[in-house]
Amino acid sequence: MLLAAGFFLLCRALSAQAPGEVGPTSADTVVLALDDVLRTALAQNLRLRAASAETRGAATFRTTAWSRFDPAVNVGGEYNGSGVGVQLVGELPTGATYLLGSVAPSTLPGDPVFADAIVARIDQPVLRGLGLYSARNAIRAADEGVEASRARLSRTRDEVAAVVRLAYAILVERHRQEATAERSVRRALELLDAYTSLRAIERITEVDLITAKLGVASRQATLLQVRRERRAAEDALLFAVYGAGARAVLARAGDAVWIPRDTVVDAPYVPSMEDATARALAARPDLEAARHHVAQARYRSQQARNAALPTLNLSASFSSTRSDTLLGPGVAFDARDQGWRFGVVLSRPLWNSGATAQRDRATAAADQTEAQLIEAENVVRREVRAAVRDIELAREQVTIAADASRLARQQYEMERERLTLGLTDIFRVLQYEEQVGTVERAEAEAWRAYATAVVQYRLAMGEG
């Protein structure tokens, strides 16, 4: 009767806590909201900072491409001459070169130097440099490279957000595992307390008491391991979010426990496989970057094809030169000789093997980028298909694990009732209690797998 009364009181002691619950916070805890950590990560994550710097650096290539059209100002004169002047020279996006000034510099071959002359000249390539084969291809290629870099930055943001969400989900699971381990320790301690009292009045044997002690020790070891894993999950989330600022955060927080606030998985709407694939192909930033790379390679191929063409340059110039005209002895007046000049120059290398090799190399690079785009599209299709399947399977896994957890707790309570009635022994009760902990840990893992599947689905769909 004493044994039955002791275990009847023991059965009323502890009510089980739900797997997703988080205990009350105190001064040594930090509550983390998912939206807050995401905003912080987008501002401080080291990988994202590096990607942003890379994008800013890539944007300078556009400026470099346009810099070839920056005009230059030349100031010069002649030795033992009176001609000193200024001129403006440069290149236009059509490939034309121009010269406007008062003195043509002698450093330019083919341009004579006139004293007190005003010269205006333009040279426009017709075959090599005009239209689709003009210098604008270099600019367009630079623009496509900048857009590709921006698309990669957007994808990096999505990937960083996914890493943070996964770290957050793992931390939620570690807290659930810790809560499960703590409940298991409390149940084992209740059994030990009851058996200690019963042993004091010699109602049980020493072997039964040792079995209860071993049950407590085993569960305490499990609790320590789970707490170690929870600390590791806190560090992983902290460094993923704060990056370079992690040191200051660690100094402020110390040994505080990081508690996730948002423990409910936000289940997304999952369309059909075909619809989901079409949406991902249209929305993924990495595919957009691949398409920009294809366009960039095409522009470079056109630019290289231009180098293999013959050159046909049309030139036009206008000059106005001062000359002294004598009217008589000692009588002169200044006059200006004005004139137009037009010219055509055709040039074609006999072999031009270097330009041909460059054209073939650029064409091969364009073909390679097109193949990479097709491969990237196939990767997206594969990731979407896997993500949709994982969500469906994870939902079933959560349902099965929740049912198993409920049944295991019921089975344990029934076995405790049987122990109260003296129909079983403590070793068997501890086995059922260990089974409760096992299925509760499996339920926490199932919820984490479901959260991971949701994150991977959003990443595959480009919904960062």
Side-chain angles (χ1 to χ4, degrees):
M1 292 297 295
L2 289 176
L3 180 63
F7 280 100
F8 179 79
L9 295 176
L10 181 62
C11 292
R12 300 293 186 265
L14 181 63
S15 60
Q17 183 183 4
E21 291 183 0
V22 176
T25 60
S26 61
D28 56 351
T29 60
V30 177
V31 179
L32 301 176
L34 180 58
D35 290 341
D36 293 339
V37 296
L38 284 174
R39 280 192 294 267
T40 303
L42 293 179
Q44 300 190 26
N45 181 267
L46 291 177
R47 180 187 173 191
L48 192 53
R49 282 189 178 185
S52 299
E54 180 182 358
T55 302
R56 293 195 304 271
T60 61
F61 288 102
R62 174 181 293 167
T63 305
T64 303
W66 278 100
S67 66
R68 63 185 298 179
F69 307 116
D70 295 340
V73 177
N74 295 328
V75 179
E78 293 183 289
Y79 178 70
N80 291 333
S82 60
V84 177
V86 180
Q87 66 178 210
L88 189 69
V89 296
E91 182 180 352
L92 298 176
T94 61
T97 58
Y98 60 88
L99 182 150
L100 300 172
S102 59
V103 175
S106 59
T107 56
L108 294 180
D111 288 332
V113 177
F114 301 100
D116 298 324
I118 299 176
V119 179
R121 178 170 179 171
I122 185 167
D123 293 289
Q124 173 63 62
V126 177
L127 293 179
R128 181 189 296 182
L130 184 64
L132 294 177
Y133 302 108
S134 70
R136 286 173 294 183
N137 284 326
I139 299 174
R140 291 168 180 167
D143 291 342
E144 293 294 340
V146 172
E147 295 302 322
S149 179
R150 290 176 177 172
R152 289 195 303 270
L153 176 61
S154 179
R155 183 59 178 175
T156 302
R157 289 195 185 99
D158 295 346
E159 292 172 350
V160 168
V163 169
V164 172
R165 287 191 176 101
L166 289 176
Y168 193 90
I170 291 175
L171 183 58
V172 171
E173 187 242 348
R174 294 294 185 264
H175 274 280
R176 288 175 174 171
Q177 297 282 15
E178 186 174 3
T180 296
E182 288 175 348
R183 291 195 298 271
S184 181
V185 169
R186 285 195 294 268
R187 287 191 293 263
L189 285 174
E190 289 177 354
L191 288 173
L192 177 60
D193 291 342
Y195 265 57
T196 300
S197 300
L198 293 175
R199 178 57 184 163
I201 58 176
E202 298 184 352
R203 304 300 299 176
I204 60 172
T205 64
E206 185 68 23
V207 173
D208 293 330
L209 182 59
I210 292 175
T211 302
K213 290 180 179 180
L214 287 176
V216 172
S218 173
R219 284 149 183 79
Q220 286 177 338
T222 301
L223 177 59
L224 292 177
Q225 177 62 30
V226 171
R227 283 178 176 170
R228 185 181 298 110
E229 294 174 353
R230 188 255 301 164
R231 280 296 186 182
E234 290 175 351
D235 290 344
L237 179 60
L238 184 145
F239 286 102
V241 171
Y242 291 99
R247 178 180 179 182
V249 174
L250 287 172
R252 292 195 305 267
D255 293 332
V257 177
W258 300 74
I259 300 179
R261 189 192 69 184
D262 304 311
T263 59
V264 178
V265 180
D266 185 12
Y269 165 73
V270 180
S272 64
M273 191 74 74
E274 293 76 11
D275 191 12
T277 302
R279 292 184 184 182
L281 291 174
R284 286 275 291 258
D286 51 342
L287 282 184
E288 181 183 357
R291 296 186 185 103
H292 284 299
H293 279 304
V294 170
Q296 183 185 39
R298 289 172 181 169
Y299 285 126
R300 288 176 174 173
S301 177
Q302 292 175 0
Q303 186 180 7
R305 191 179 301 116
N306 178 36
L309 295 175
T311 59
L312 178 61
N313 291 343
L314 301 180
S315 62
S317 64
F318 170 79
S319 63
S320 176
T321 307
R322 190 187 69 179
S323 63
D324 296 333
T325 301
L326 297 177
L327 296 179
V331 180
F333 73 94
D334 293 339
R336 302 196 71 86
D337 294 332
Q338 298 178 350
W340 291 87
R341 290 193 302 168
F342 299 93
V344 178
V345 178
L346 176 63
S347 176
R348 174 67 169 93
L350 292 180
W351 289 277
N352 202 15
S353 57
T356 302
Q358 183 179 0
R359 179 195 60 191
D360 295 341
R361 186 164 54 249
T363 302
D367 295 340
Q368 183 180 6
T369 56
E370 291 178 357
Q372 290 172 350
L373 174 59
I374 297 174
E375 176 63 22
E377 290 176 347
N378 288 337
V379 169
V380 170
R381 293 186 179 95
R382 184 169 63 249
E383 290 179 353
V384 171
R385 293 173 64 85
V388 171
R389 287 195 301 265
D390 288 346
I391 284 185
E392 295 173 352
L393 295 176
R395 286 173 178 171
E396 296 180 6
Q397 184 181 1
V398 166
T399 302
I400 294 173
D403 290 341
S405 181
R406 175 180 55 82
L407 293 174
R409 286 191 292 267
Q410 290 179 356
Q411 190 179 39
Y412 172 70
E413 293 297 334
M414 292 176 181
E415 191 65 19
R416 285 174 60 179
E417 293 291 343
R418 294 184 71 233
L419 182 63
T420 302
L421 299 176
L423 301 178
T424 186
D425 55 30
I426 188 173
F427 183 78
R428 188 173 180 84
V429 173
L430 287 174
Q431 284 183 326
Y432 279 105
E433 194 284 325
E434 185 176 359
Q435 182 177 347
V436 171
T438 301
V439 295
E440 285 184 348
R441 287 191 293 272
E443 183 182 3
E445 293 174 356
W447 278 108
R448 192 253 302 162
Y450 183 45
T452 300
V454 170
V455 173
Q456 295 294 347
Y457 170 78
R458 287 176 173 161
L459 184 62
M461 294 294 293
E463 299 176 354

